[in-house]
Amino acid sequence: MDNALAMEQAGGQEFLTFRLGGEEYAIEILKVREIRSWETPTAIVNAPEHIKGVINLRGTIVPIVDLRVKFKGEATYDEFTVVIILSVAERVLGIVVDAVSDVTTLSPEQIRPAPALGGEADTHFITGLGTVGKRMLIVTDIERLLGGRDLQFTQVH
């Protein structure tokens, strides 16, 4: 039995946690292919500002989406900037984050429903809020977060 299946049967699920500004997010570890340091991608003309371009990853062209720009509209790139390579909706893409924290297991009891914020807040991609000690993790459905226009843009024709 593989480790992920054993964790789910035991009531827990593994997540990769990462930082965007002062917040800490969690995504399913099974979506993660690898973690890389920042390298400047090749820019694509007329791409939305948060799509930084593409990189060639061992023969696969991988679009790079900067979540910091998508969420807050700005970002700086330094030696701590990290790209998480994901498999999302049968595509490979990278997300730029401030830092990767760790891999953690959350049981269903540790994940609370996300509050309804209403109004202008777009929280459709938040599946819950997880707690690990004093840490609050925003548990994210990465496919919902990057769904729609982002995945359509990253589709290879």
Side-chain angles (χ1 to χ4, degrees):
M1 178 180 328
D2 75 7
N3 196 25
L5 182 59
M7 292 303 297
E8 280 194 44
Q9 289 179 347
Q13 186 175 4
E14 285 188 306
F15 293 88
L16 178 71
T17 64
F18 60 89
R19 290 200 160 282
L20 291 173
E23 291 85 38
E24 198 166 9
Y25 292 80
I27 57 175
E28 288 179 61
I29 193 72
L30 296 176
K31 305 274 186 205
V32 177
R33 291 183 71 175
E34 66 182 89
I35 299 168
R36 301 174 54 87
S37 59
W38 169 255
E39 62 182 80
T40 303
T42 301
I44 302 295
V45 176
N46 294 328
E49 187 177 347
H50 63 278
I51 298 182
K52 303 317 287 179
V54 296
I55 61 170
N56 184 339
L57 183 64
R58 295 180 293 281
T60 301
I61 302 303
V62 179
I64 304 298
V65 178
D66 194 326
L67 291 186
R68 304 165 311 163
V69 174
K70 184 173 176 72
F71 285 175
K72 299 192 188 304
E74 59 185 48
T76 57
Y77 302 92
D78 58 29
E79 67 273 12
F80 301 109
T81 305
V82 179
V83 178
I84 303 170
I85 305 296
L86 304 169
S87 288
V88 177
E90 300 179 20
R91 294 185 182 94
V92 177
L93 68 136
I95 58 171
V96 183
V97 300
D98 288 321
V100 170
S101 301
D102 58 13
V103 175
T104 190
T105 301
L106 294 175
S107 67
E109 297 80 37
Q110 289 176 287
I111 302 175
R112 300 282 177 242
L117 300 177
E120 299 293 313
D122 180 9
T123 59
H124 74 284
F125 60 88
I126 298 174
T127 59
L129 298 173
T131 54
V132 179
K134 293 183 179 183
R135 293 167 59 195
M136 176 73 68
L137 304 174
I138 301 168
V139 181
T140 304
D141 181 333
I142 199 69
E143 289 188 20
R144 279 192 201 159
L145 174 61
L146 298 174
R149 283 186 45 196
D150 288 339
L151 285 180
Q152 287 172 3
F153 180 85
T154 63
Q155 184 173 358
V156 177
H157 297 283

Short mmCIF file of all heavy atoms in Angstrom, two decimals, residues 28-83:
data_model
loop_
_atom_site.label_atom_id
_atom_site.label_comp_id
_atom_site.label_asym_id
_atom_site.label_seq_id
_atom_site.Cartn_x
_atom_site.Cartn_y
_atom_site.Cartn_z
N GLU A 28 -2.40 19.96 -1.90
CA GLU A 28 -2.21 18.52 -1.85
C GLU A 28 -0.83 18.14 -2.39
O GLU A 28 -0.46 18.57 -3.47
CB GLU A 28 -3.25 17.81 -2.73
CG GLU A 28 -4.64 17.81 -2.21
CD GLU A 28 -5.55 17.10 -3.19
OE1 GLU A 28 -5.34 15.89 -3.45
OE2 GLU A 28 -6.47 17.76 -3.70
N ILE A 29 -0.11 17.33 -1.65
CA ILE A 29 1.24 16.94 -2.05
C ILE A 29 1.21 16.14 -3.35
O ILE A 29 2.16 16.18 -4.13
CB ILE A 29 1.94 16.16 -0.91
CG1 ILE A 29 3.45 16.02 -1.19
CG2 ILE A 29 1.31 14.80 -0.71
CD1 ILE A 29 4.23 17.27 -1.04
N LEU A 30 0.12 15.44 -3.62
CA LEU A 30 0.05 14.62 -4.83
C LEU A 30 0.04 15.45 -6.11
O LEU A 30 0.29 14.92 -7.19
CB LEU A 30 -1.17 13.70 -4.78
CG LEU A 30 -1.16 12.66 -3.65
CD1 LEU A 30 -2.45 11.87 -3.65
CD2 LEU A 30 0.05 11.76 -3.76
N LYS A 31 -0.24 16.74 -6.02
CA LYS A 31 -0.21 17.64 -7.19
C LYS A 31 1.20 18.14 -7.50
O LYS A 31 1.46 18.65 -8.57
CB LYS A 31 -1.11 18.86 -6.96
CG LYS A 31 -2.53 18.55 -6.60
CD LYS A 31 -3.35 18.33 -7.81
CE LYS A 31 -4.82 18.17 -7.38
NZ LYS A 31 -5.57 17.42 -8.32
N VAL A 32 2.12 17.99 -6.54
CA VAL A 32 3.47 18.55 -6.65
C VAL A 32 4.40 17.57 -7.37
O VAL A 32 4.49 16.40 -6.99
CB VAL A 32 4.03 18.89 -5.25
CG1 VAL A 32 5.46 19.41 -5.35
CG2 VAL A 32 3.13 19.89 -4.54
N ARG A 33 5.09 18.09 -8.39
CA ARG A 33 6.08 17.27 -9.10
C ARG A 33 7.49 17.55 -8.60
O ARG A 33 8.28 16.64 -8.45
CB ARG A 33 6.01 17.53 -10.60
CG ARG A 33 4.71 16.98 -11.19
CD ARG A 33 4.63 17.14 -12.66
NE ARG A 33 5.55 16.24 -13.35
CZ ARG A 33 5.59 16.12 -14.66
NH1 ARG A 33 4.79 16.84 -15.41
NH2 ARG A 33 6.43 15.30 -15.22
N GLU A 34 7.81 18.82 -8.40
CA GLU A 34 9.13 19.18 -7.89
C GLU A 34 9.14 20.63 -7.44
O GLU A 34 8.22 21.39 -7.73
CB GLU A 34 10.24 18.93 -8.92
CG GLU A 34 10.18 19.79 -10.15
CD GLU A 34 11.29 19.43 -11.14
OE1 GLU A 34 11.05 18.56 -11.99
OE2 GLU A 34 12.37 20.05 -11.06
N ILE A 35 10.20 20.99 -6.73
CA ILE A 35 10.40 22.36 -6.25
C ILE A 35 11.73 22.84 -6.82
O ILE A 35 12.73 22.14 -6.74
CB ILE A 35 10.41 22.39 -4.70
CG1 ILE A 35 9.07 21.88 -4.17
CG2 ILE A 35 10.70 23.81 -4.21
CD1 ILE A 35 9.07 21.59 -2.69
N ARG A 36 11.70 24.03 -7.42
CA ARG A 36 12.89 24.57 -8.09
C ARG A 36 13.17 25.99 -7.60
O ARG A 36 12.25 26.70 -7.18
CB ARG A 36 12.67 24.63 -9.60
CG ARG A 36 12.37 23.29 -10.23
CD ARG A 36 12.04 23.43 -11.70
NE ARG A 36 13.03 24.12 -12.47
CZ ARG A 36 14.09 23.55 -13.04
NH1 ARG A 36 14.31 22.27 -12.89
NH2 ARG A 36 14.95 24.27 -13.74
N SER A 37 14.41 26.41 -7.73
CA SER A 37 14.72 27.80 -7.44
C SER A 37 14.27 28.66 -8.63
O SER A 37 14.04 28.15 -9.73
CB SER A 37 16.22 27.97 -7.18
OG SER A 37 16.95 27.55 -8.31
N TRP A 38 14.14 29.95 -8.39
CA TRP A 38 13.66 30.87 -9.42
C TRP A 38 14.68 30.99 -10.54
O TRP A 38 15.88 31.11 -10.32
CB TRP A 38 13.42 32.25 -8.81
CG TRP A 38 13.18 33.32 -9.83
CD1 TRP A 38 14.05 34.29 -10.21
CD2 TRP A 38 11.99 33.50 -10.60
NE1 TRP A 38 13.47 35.07 -11.17
CE2 TRP A 38 12.21 34.61 -11.44
CE3 TRP A 38 10.77 32.85 -10.69
CZ2 TRP A 38 11.26 35.09 -12.33
CZ3 TRP A 38 9.82 33.30 -11.57
CH2 TRP A 38 10.06 34.41 -12.38
N GLU A 39 14.18 30.92 -11.76
CA GLU A 39 14.96 31.27 -12.95
C GLU A 39 14.03 32.10 -13.82
O GLU A 39 12.83 31.83 -13.89
CB GLU A 39 15.45 30.03 -13.70
CG GLU A 39 14.35 29.14 -14.24
CD GLU A 39 14.88 27.89 -14.93
OE1 GLU A 39 15.23 26.95 -14.22
OE2 GLU A 39 14.93 27.89 -16.18
N THR A 40 14.57 33.12 -14.45
CA THR A 40 13.73 34.00 -15.25
C THR A 40 13.18 33.23 -16.44
O THR A 40 13.95 32.70 -17.24
CB THR A 40 14.54 35.22 -15.72
OG1 THR A 40 15.08 35.88 -14.57
CG2 THR A 40 13.66 36.19 -16.49
N PRO A 41 11.84 33.18 -16.57
CA PRO A 41 11.26 32.46 -17.71
C PRO A 41 11.30 33.30 -18.99
O PRO A 41 11.54 34.50 -18.95
CB PRO A 41 9.81 32.22 -17.27
CG PRO A 41 9.53 33.31 -16.30
CD PRO A 41 10.83 33.67 -15.65
N THR A 42 11.05 32.65 -20.10
CA THR A 42 10.92 33.34 -21.38
C THR A 42 9.53 33.98 -21.42
O THR A 42 8.52 33.29 -21.27
CB THR A 42 11.07 32.34 -22.55
OG1 THR A 42 12.36 31.73 -22.44
CG2 THR A 42 10.92 33.03 -23.89
N ALA A 43 9.49 35.28 -21.59
CA ALA A 43 8.21 36.01 -21.57
C ALA A 43 7.37 35.66 -22.79
O ALA A 43 7.90 35.37 -23.87
CB ALA A 43 8.47 37.51 -21.52
N ILE A 44 6.06 35.71 -22.61
CA ILE A 44 5.10 35.47 -23.68
C ILE A 44 4.34 36.77 -23.93
O ILE A 44 3.79 37.36 -22.99
CB ILE A 44 4.10 34.35 -23.30
CG1 ILE A 44 4.84 33.04 -22.99
CG2 ILE A 44 3.06 34.15 -24.39
CD1 ILE A 44 5.56 32.43 -24.16
N VAL A 45 4.30 37.21 -25.18
CA VAL A 45 3.63 38.46 -25.54
C VAL A 45 2.13 38.37 -25.22
O VAL A 45 1.50 37.33 -25.42
CB VAL A 45 3.83 38.74 -27.05
CG1 VAL A 45 3.06 39.99 -27.48
CG2 VAL A 45 5.29 38.88 -27.37
N ASN A 46 1.59 39.44 -24.68
CA ASN A 46 0.16 39.59 -24.37
C ASN A 46 -0.34 38.64 -23.29
O ASN A 46 -1.55 38.44 -23.16
CB ASN A 46 -0.71 39.43 -25.63
CG ASN A 46 -0.46 40.55 -26.61
OD1 ASN A 46 -0.15 41.67 -26.23
ND2 ASN A 46 -0.56 40.23 -27.89
N ALA A 47 0.55 38.05 -22.50
CA ALA A 47 0.13 37.21 -21.38
C ALA A 47 -0.34 38.11 -20.24
O ALA A 47 0.15 39.23 -20.08
CB ALA A 47 1.29 36.34 -20.90
N PRO A 48 -1.28 37.63 -19.43
CA PRO A 48 -1.65 38.39 -18.23
C PRO A 48 -0.40 38.62 -17.36
O PRO A 48 0.54 37.82 -17.41
CB PRO A 48 -2.64 37.47 -17.52
CG PRO A 48 -3.15 36.54 -18.58
CD PRO A 48 -2.03 36.38 -19.56
N GLU A 49 -0.41 39.68 -16.58
CA GLU A 49 0.77 40.07 -15.81
C GLU A 49 1.27 38.96 -14.87
O GLU A 49 2.46 38.80 -14.66
CB GLU A 49 0.47 41.33 -15.01
CG GLU A 49 1.69 41.89 -14.32
CD GLU A 49 1.41 43.19 -13.60
OE1 GLU A 49 0.35 43.80 -13.81
OE2 GLU A 49 2.27 43.57 -12.79
N HIS A 50 0.35 38.17 -14.29
CA HIS A 50 0.77 37.14 -13.34
C HIS A 50 1.33 35.88 -14.02
O HIS A 50 1.89 35.04 -13.35
CB HIS A 50 -0.38 36.78 -12.39
CG HIS A 50 -1.57 36.18 -13.08
ND1 HIS A 50 -2.52 36.94 -13.70
CD2 HIS A 50 -1.94 34.90 -13.23
CE1 HIS A 50 -3.44 36.14 -14.22
NE2 HIS A 50 -3.11 34.89 -13.96
N ILE A 51 1.19 35.77 -15.34
CA ILE A 51 1.82 34.65 -16.06
C ILE A 51 3.16 35.18 -16.55
O ILE A 51 3.24 35.98 -17.48
CB ILE A 51 0.92 34.12 -17.19
CG1 ILE A 51 -0.36 33.59 -16.56
CG2 ILE A 51 1.66 33.05 -17.99
CD1 ILE A 51 -1.35 32.99 -17.50
N LYS A 52 4.23 34.75 -15.89
CA LYS A 52 5.54 35.33 -16.09
C LYS A 52 6.23 34.84 -17.36
O LYS A 52 7.20 35.42 -17.80
CB LYS A 52 6.45 35.05 -14.88
CG LYS A 52 5.91 35.55 -13.55
CD LYS A 52 5.31 36.93 -13.57
CE LYS A 52 6.23 38.08 -13.70
NZ LYS A 52 5.53 39.38 -13.75
N GLY A 53 5.73 33.74 -17.94
CA GLY A 53 6.34 33.19 -19.15
C GLY A 53 6.41 31.69 -19.06
O GLY A 53 5.60 31.06 -18.37
N VAL A 54 7.40 31.10 -19.76
CA VAL A 54 7.55 29.64 -19.78
C VAL A 54 9.01 29.26 -19.55
O VAL A 54 9.92 30.06 -19.81
CB VAL A 54 7.06 29.04 -21.12
CG1 VAL A 54 5.57 29.27 -21.31
CG2 VAL A 54 7.84 29.59 -22.30
N ILE A 55 9.21 28.05 -19.04
CA ILE A 55 10.55 27.47 -18.94
C ILE A 55 10.53 26.12 -19.65
O ILE A 55 9.48 25.52 -19.83
CB ILE A 55 11.03 27.30 -17.48
CG1 ILE A 55 10.12 26.34 -16.70
CG2 ILE A 55 11.15 28.65 -16.78
CD1 ILE A 55 10.67 25.93 -15.33
N ASN A 56 11.72 25.67 -20.05
CA ASN A 56 11.87 24.35 -20.64
C ASN A 56 12.36 23.42 -19.54
O ASN A 56 13.47 23.57 -19.05
CB ASN A 56 12.86 24.41 -21.80
CG ASN A 56 12.99 23.08 -22.51
OD1 ASN A 56 12.65 22.02 -21.98
ND2 ASN A 56 13.49 23.13 -23.73
N LEU A 57 11.51 22.50 -19.14
CA LEU A 57 11.84 21.58 -18.05
C LEU A 57 12.01 20.19 -18.65
O LEU A 57 11.03 19.49 -18.90
CB LEU A 57 10.72 21.59 -17.00
CG LEU A 57 10.93 20.73 -15.76
CD1 LEU A 57 12.12 21.21 -14.96
CD2 LEU A 57 9.68 20.74 -14.90
N ARG A 58 13.25 19.85 -18.94
CA ARG A 58 13.58 18.53 -19.52
C ARG A 58 12.71 18.21 -20.73
O ARG A 58 12.14 17.13 -20.86
CB ARG A 58 13.48 17.43 -18.46
CG ARG A 58 14.53 17.60 -17.34
CD ARG A 58 14.43 16.53 -16.28
NE ARG A 58 13.23 16.57 -15.50
CZ ARG A 58 13.00 17.40 -14.49
NH1 ARG A 58 13.91 18.30 -14.15
NH2 ARG A 58 11.87 17.35 -13.82
N GLY A 59 12.57 19.20 -21.63
CA GLY A 59 11.82 19.00 -22.86
C GLY A 59 10.34 19.35 -22.78
O GLY A 59 9.65 19.33 -23.80
N THR A 60 9.83 19.66 -21.61
CA THR A 60 8.43 20.06 -21.45
C THR A 60 8.37 21.57 -21.25
O THR A 60 9.09 22.12 -20.40
CB THR A 60 7.79 19.35 -20.23
OG1 THR A 60 7.88 17.95 -20.41
CG2 THR A 60 6.34 19.76 -20.05
N ILE A 61 7.55 22.25 -22.04
CA ILE A 61 7.37 23.69 -21.88
C ILE A 61 6.38 23.92 -20.75
O ILE A 61 5.24 23.45 -20.80
CB ILE A 61 6.87 24.34 -23.18
CG1 ILE A 61 7.86 24.06 -24.32
CG2 ILE A 61 6.65 25.84 -22.99
CD1 ILE A 61 9.28 24.54 -24.05
N VAL A 62 6.82 24.62 -19.70
CA VAL A 62 6.04 24.78 -18.47
C VAL A 62 5.72 26.26 -18.26
O VAL A 62 6.63 27.07 -18.07
CB VAL A 62 6.83 24.22 -17.26
CG1 VAL A 62 6.04 24.42 -15.98
CG2 VAL A 62 7.20 22.77 -17.48
N PRO A 63 4.43 26.63 -18.28
CA PRO A 63 4.05 28.01 -17.96
C PRO A 63 4.29 28.30 -16.48
O PRO A 63 4.11 27.42 -15.63
CB PRO A 63 2.54 28.06 -18.26
CG PRO A 63 2.18 26.74 -18.85
CD PRO A 63 3.29 25.80 -18.62
N ILE A 64 4.68 29.53 -16.18
CA ILE A 64 4.98 29.94 -14.81
C ILE A 64 3.99 31.03 -14.39
O ILE A 64 3.93 32.11 -14.99
CB ILE A 64 6.43 30.47 -14.69
CG1 ILE A 64 7.43 29.42 -15.18
CG2 ILE A 64 6.72 30.92 -13.27
CD1 ILE A 64 7.43 28.11 -14.38
N VAL A 65 3.21 30.74 -13.33
CA VAL A 65 2.21 31.66 -12.79
C VAL A 65 2.71 32.17 -11.45
O VAL A 65 2.99 31.38 -10.54
CB VAL A 65 0.85 30.94 -12.60
CG1 VAL A 65 -0.17 31.88 -11.98
CG2 VAL A 65 0.34 30.37 -13.92
N ASP A 66 2.84 33.48 -11.31
CA ASP A 66 3.29 34.06 -10.05
C ASP A 66 2.06 34.34 -9.18
O ASP A 66 1.30 35.27 -9.46
CB ASP A 66 4.09 35.34 -10.28
CG ASP A 66 4.83 35.77 -9.03
OD1 ASP A 66 4.31 35.57 -7.90
OD2 ASP A 66 5.94 36.31 -9.16
N LEU A 67 1.86 33.51 -8.16
CA LEU A 67 0.70 33.69 -7.27
C LEU A 67 0.77 34.99 -6.51
O LEU A 67 -0.26 35.56 -6.15
CB LEU A 67 0.57 32.51 -6.30
CG LEU A 67 0.18 31.17 -6.91
CD1 LEU A 67 -0.05 30.14 -5.81
CD2 LEU A 67 -1.03 31.28 -7.79
N ARG A 68 1.98 35.48 -6.26
CA ARG A 68 2.11 36.74 -5.52
C ARG A 68 1.53 37.89 -6.34
O ARG A 68 0.84 38.76 -5.81
CB ARG A 68 3.58 36.99 -5.18
CG ARG A 68 4.16 35.82 -4.41
CD ARG A 68 5.66 35.81 -4.34
NE ARG A 68 6.26 35.99 -5.65
CZ ARG A 68 7.52 36.35 -5.83
NH1 ARG A 68 8.31 36.55 -4.80
NH2 ARG A 68 8.02 36.48 -7.04
N VAL A 69 1.78 37.89 -7.65
CA VAL A 69 1.23 38.92 -8.52
C VAL A 69 -0.27 38.71 -8.68
O VAL A 69 -1.05 39.66 -8.65
CB VAL A 69 1.94 38.90 -9.90
CG1 VAL A 69 1.28 39.88 -10.86
CG2 VAL A 69 3.43 39.23 -9.73
N LYS A 70 -0.70 37.46 -8.82
CA LYS A 70 -2.12 37.15 -8.98
C LYS A 70 -2.92 37.64 -7.77
O LYS A 70 -3.99 38.21 -7.91
CB LYS A 70 -2.32 35.64 -9.15
CG LYS A 70 -3.76 35.22 -9.42
CD LYS A 70 -3.81 33.74 -9.75
CE LYS A 70 -5.21 33.24 -9.94
NZ LYS A 70 -5.84 33.70 -11.18
N PHE A 71 -2.38 37.45 -6.55
CA PHE A 71 -3.10 37.83 -5.34
C PHE A 71 -2.92 39.30 -4.98
O PHE A 71 -3.86 39.96 -4.59
CB PHE A 71 -2.64 36.98 -4.16
CG PHE A 71 -3.16 35.58 -4.16
CD1 PHE A 71 -2.73 34.69 -3.20
CD2 PHE A 71 -4.04 35.11 -5.11
CE1 PHE A 71 -3.19 33.38 -3.17
CE2 PHE A 71 -4.51 33.81 -5.10
CZ PHE A 71 -4.08 32.95 -4.13
N LYS A 72 -1.70 39.80 -5.05
CA LYS A 72 -1.41 41.13 -4.51
C LYS A 72 -0.95 42.14 -5.55
O LYS A 72 -0.80 43.31 -5.25
CB LYS A 72 -0.36 41.01 -3.41
CG LYS A 72 -0.82 40.14 -2.26
CD LYS A 72 0.10 40.27 -1.09
CE LYS A 72 -0.11 39.35 0.03
NZ LYS A 72 -1.18 39.13 0.77
N GLY A 73 -0.65 41.67 -6.75
CA GLY A 73 -0.27 42.59 -7.81
C GLY A 73 1.20 42.97 -7.86
O GLY A 73 1.60 43.74 -8.72
N GLU A 74 2.02 42.43 -6.96
CA GLU A 74 3.44 42.77 -6.97
C GLU A 74 4.28 41.65 -6.40
O GLU A 74 3.78 40.81 -5.64
CB GLU A 74 3.69 44.05 -6.18
CG GLU A 74 3.24 43.95 -4.73
CD GLU A 74 3.38 45.26 -3.99
OE1 GLU A 74 2.93 46.29 -4.51
OE2 GLU A 74 3.94 45.24 -2.88
N ALA A 75 5.56 41.64 -6.80
CA ALA A 75 6.47 40.61 -6.29
C ALA A 75 7.91 41.02 -6.56
O ALA A 75 8.19 41.74 -7.52
CB ALA A 75 6.17 39.28 -6.97
N THR A 76 8.80 40.56 -5.70
CA THR A 76 10.23 40.72 -5.94
C THR A 76 10.83 39.34 -6.12
O THR A 76 10.33 38.35 -5.57
CB THR A 76 10.93 41.45 -4.77
OG1 THR A 76 10.69 40.69 -3.58
CG2 THR A 76 10.40 42.86 -4.59
N TYR A 77 11.91 39.27 -6.89
CA TYR A 77 12.56 38.00 -7.19
C TYR A 77 13.97 38.03 -6.63
O TYR A 77 14.74 38.93 -6.93
CB TYR A 77 12.57 37.77 -8.71
CG TYR A 77 11.17 37.79 -9.27
CD1 TYR A 77 10.61 38.97 -9.75
CD2 TYR A 77 10.41 36.63 -9.29
CE1 TYR A 77 9.31 38.99 -10.23
CE2 TYR A 77 9.10 36.65 -9.77
CZ TYR A 77 8.56 37.82 -10.24
OH TYR A 77 7.28 37.85 -10.71
N ASP A 78 14.26 37.06 -5.76
CA ASP A 78 15.58 36.98 -5.15
C ASP A 78 15.96 35.52 -4.98
O ASP A 78 15.28 34.62 -5.48
CB ASP A 78 15.62 37.75 -3.83
CG ASP A 78 14.60 37.25 -2.81
OD1 ASP A 78 14.23 36.06 -2.83
OD2 ASP A 78 14.17 38.06 -1.97
N GLU A 79 17.02 35.27 -4.23
CA GLU A 79 17.52 33.90 -4.07
C GLU A 79 16.58 33.01 -3.26
O GLU A 79 16.72 31.79 -3.25
CB GLU A 79 18.92 33.89 -3.44
CG GLU A 79 18.98 34.38 -2.00
CD GLU A 79 19.15 35.88 -1.86
OE1 GLU A 79 19.00 36.62 -2.84
OE2 GLU A 79 19.43 36.32 -0.72
N PHE A 80 15.58 33.60 -2.59
CA PHE A 80 14.63 32.82 -1.80
C PHE A 80 13.35 32.48 -2.58
O PHE A 80 12.54 31.68 -2.13
CB PHE A 80 14.26 33.57 -0.52
CG PHE A 80 15.46 33.86 0.34
CD1 PHE A 80 15.92 35.15 0.47
CD2 PHE A 80 16.13 32.83 0.99
CE1 PHE A 80 17.04 35.43 1.25
CE2 PHE A 80 17.25 33.10 1.77
CZ PHE A 80 17.71 34.40 1.89
N THR A 81 13.16 33.11 -3.74
CA THR A 81 11.96 32.87 -4.55
C THR A 81 11.98 31.43 -5.05
O THR A 81 13.00 30.93 -5.50
CB THR A 81 11.91 33.85 -5.73
OG1 THR A 81 12.00 35.19 -5.22
CG2 THR A 81 10.63 33.69 -6.53
N VAL A 82 10.83 30.77 -4.97
CA VAL A 82 10.72 29.35 -5.29
C VAL A 82 9.62 29.13 -6.32
O VAL A 82 8.60 29.82 -6.32
CB VAL A 82 10.39 28.55 -4.01
CG1 VAL A 82 10.24 27.07 -4.29
CG2 VAL A 82 11.45 28.76 -2.95
N VAL A 83 9.84 28.13 -7.20
CA VAL A 83 8.83 27.71 -8.16
C VAL A 83 8.44 26.28 -7.82
O VAL A 83 9.30 25.40 -7.73
CB VAL A 83 9.35 27.78 -9.61
CG1 VAL A 83 8.28 27.29 -10.59
CG2 VAL A 83 9.78 29.21 -9.96
#
